[in-house]
Amino acid sequence: MKKLNIGIIGYGFMGRAHSNAYRKVNNFFDLKYQPVLKAICARNADNAKAFADKWGYESIETDWRKLMERDDIDLIDICTPNNTHAEIAIAAAQAGKMILCEKPLALNAPEAEKMVAAVESAKVPNMVWYNYRRCPAVVLAKQLIDEGKLGRIFHYRAKFLQDWTINPDLPQGGAALWRLDVKAAGSGVTGDLLAHCIDTAMWLNGTIDSVSAMTETFIKERKHQLTGKVEKVGIDDACAFLARFSNGALATFESTRYARGHKALYTFEINGEHASIFWDLHDLHRLQYFDHRDEGRVRGWRSIHVSDGDQPYMKNWWVPGLQIGYEHSFVHQVADFLTGLAERKPARPDFKDGLATDYVTDAVLKSARTGQWEKVKKVK
Ligand SMILES: NC(=O)c1ccc[n+]([C@@H]2O[C@H](COP(=O)([O-])OP(=O)(O)OC[C@H]3O[C@@H](n4cnc5c(N)ncnc54)[C@H](O)[C@@H]3O)[C@@H](O)[C@H]2O)c1
């Protein structure tokens, strides 16, 4: 097995999810590459050292630029807030490193275009962590659609609902709360949550042509953790938009952090001429499937428990009937990236796919400002 030396930046939620994936992937998948946890980079040396000890990283850095200068780092993994992605990724590409970047690819599409140009001119392998493409039940949905089981698709309906920012006393900005600060996040639920829904939707049902959106910021001012001052809130707290897919399907997308009772309710439903599909992140190992061609007396929604060896990824895990969860989507993504490297068939979503999603989110935010339908730019 060839060693692949990882330099990861950021040790928060995604730093942990990715580290877990690198550690497990070779235990469950037969691969030609083995990730080596070479370096963790974070600005606070004590915290970086504690993380390195806990997860088994060989070294620490406190400035990500140092990682780019190191010959013993092959791949840069960007697990930092959205406003840092472009600068780090462009520097990594110029240093000839492979890059795995968290989503959304950038603060906006113009920034993402520069990142795509950088990886293309450096010819470095790249990928964006839209991990929901790697949930076995979502992959099963993709297989059913690609096999034509649904027939022509009429409707796509996606939601991503949370409730963690309802309290008006919650500050914005800084550690843990950077998602409320537009300078760090780029946007609110549109770039954070709907970006996931859009990536999955375009993977399953093709490109989106046009959108019509509304957004709202329910709490207009919040204290900023870093400045200590009450500042205007620049993010969208909620967003709902209509979309037309290039294949003629109509879609609705909705996201909010103000849906009391919901923590991470990502759902999608797809209605085709023969069959429908429904998926729910809270029950991520199941796919709901209705096929009109079933015999009438027993026709109904089936709840498919995606845990059998002939279902996507499942032969690599336990025995039929035993399900897997959220963290495994990241293990699968690493496995697919490493397989793509070995076979010279790059895994996706790559930076161009990330840019395609940024084009949609930019059009959504523009439509919310103009009150008009907006066309979505296509990746060349
Ligand atoms: N794929 C997913 O499902 C998913 C889920 C959550 C977050 N994300 C994305 O992952 C990224 C990180 O989110 P998170 O939830 O892990 O955030 P987090 O706040 O938990 O962690 C961010 C980390 O980045 C570090 N950091 C910030 N600026 C830095 C800098 N200049 N140099 C080095 N380290 C720096 C912080 O100290 C922290 O360790 C975001 O882009 C987010 O949108 C993706």
Side-chain angles (χ1 to χ4, degrees), residues 21 28 75 196 229 238 249 262 317:
F28 291 92
L75 183 152
H196 275 299
K229 292 193 191 118
H262 293 305
W317 296 99

Side-chain angles (χ1 to χ4, degrees), residues 43 61 80-81 156 167 170 205 219 226 237 248 270 272 293 311 323 325 348 352 355 376:
R43 291 159 301 178
E61 294 289 353
T80 46
Y156 195 103
N167 180 354
L170 192 71
N205 196 38
I219 309 289
L226 300 179
D237 288 335
I270 307 169
R293 290 159 300 192
Q311 290 166 325
Q323 72 225 26
R348 292 170 71 179
K352 269 189 160 180
L355 170 61
V376 176

